[in-house]
Amino acid sequence: EPEVTQTPSHQVTQMGQEVILRCVPISNHLYFYWYRQILGQKVEFLVSFYNNEISEKSEIFDDQFSVERPDGSNFTLKIRSTKLEDSAMYFCASSVGQGNAGNTIYFGEGSWLTVV
Amino acid sequence: SQQGEEDPQALSIQEGENATMNCSYKTSINNLQWYRQNSGRGLVHLILIRSNEREKHSGRLRVTLDTSKKSSSLLITASRAADTASYFCAQGAQKLVFGQGTRLTINP
């Protein structure tokens, strides 16, 4: 079964460093997302991406964050200058169409980011 | 906010028993999705139920939806140790809103 793949599975970085988390969405999907889950807390929406542009973003997704689809397969999340509070599991997800149209949103296994 | 909340927060049962988890939400929905998360792992999609559906089955899973009460339930029948995980309902279009989830523990 096709799946969303994410790399790295775990990354430790120093505060202030830039981090890029990578994702390969399911191949025929058109909508891409990033979510995060701080340890012990709820899964939170960060951003959605469609037709090569951000379609929706949360208040968490500030100027420190950016997303890019550099080629036909990868979808990346960049954090420019990491803070301690950015430590979380980051999930990439994708769907064929929008969730409210009855399209399942599939998630990857996540990338653990630890900022020290 | 469309935020859903699962109930109970934690559930511990014996292997072989049925487990029922509930989800309530606040606004009208087009569909609702249930996910499972093993500790420290990704979110695995279980079932999507549309607003015009009342019940949906997938193997040992049964999801019901009552739009008049803005609630949904997930039933796992004949539970197994491998069902130990957190279970979440989520609703929304591009922005899925998750609750805290139900932590289910199946005791052998």
Side-chain angles (χ1 to χ4, degrees), chain A residues 22-55:
Chain A
R22 292 182 168 80
C23 169
V24 179
I26 295 172
S27 62
N28 64 331
H29 286 188
L30 301 176
Y31 290 79
F32 314 113
Y33 316 87
W34 284 100
Y35 286 76
R36 79 172 186 189
Q37 185 179 32
I38 294 171
L39 189 64
Q41 297 189 22
K42 298 179 184 181
V43 176
E44 302 172 289
F45 169 80
L46 293 178
V47 66
S48 59
F49 191 86
Y50 170 71
N51 200 27
N52 283 318
E53 60 183 26
I54 290 173
S55 47

Side-chain angles (χ1 to χ4, degrees), chain A residues 8 31 58 62 92:
Chain A
Y31 290 79
S58 72
D62 61 22
C92 176

Side-chain angles (χ1 to χ4, degrees), chain A residues 31 33 35 37 40-43 45 48 55-56 89 91 98-105 107-109 112, chain B residues 3-5 30-31 33 35 37 40-45 48 50 88 92-100:
Chain A
Y31 290 79
Y33 316 87
Y35 286 76
Q37 185 179 32
Q41 297 189 22
K42 298 179 184 181
V43 176
F45 169 80
S48 59
S55 47
E56 189 170 355
M89 175 79 102
F91 293 108
Q98 290 197 66
N100 65 350
N103 293 286
T104 298
I105 297 177
F107 285 76
E109 280 290 319
W112 270 111
Chain B
Q3 192 160 354
E5 292 299 335
N30 290 312
N31 59 67
Q33 309 192 52
Y35 290 87
Q37 185 182 33
R41 302 294 300 277
L43 294 159
V44 175
H45 186 265
L48 181 151
R50 298 170 196 266
F88 301 89
Q94 302 180 61
K95 177 182 176 178
L96 284 181
V97 179
F98 288 83
Q100 284 279 15

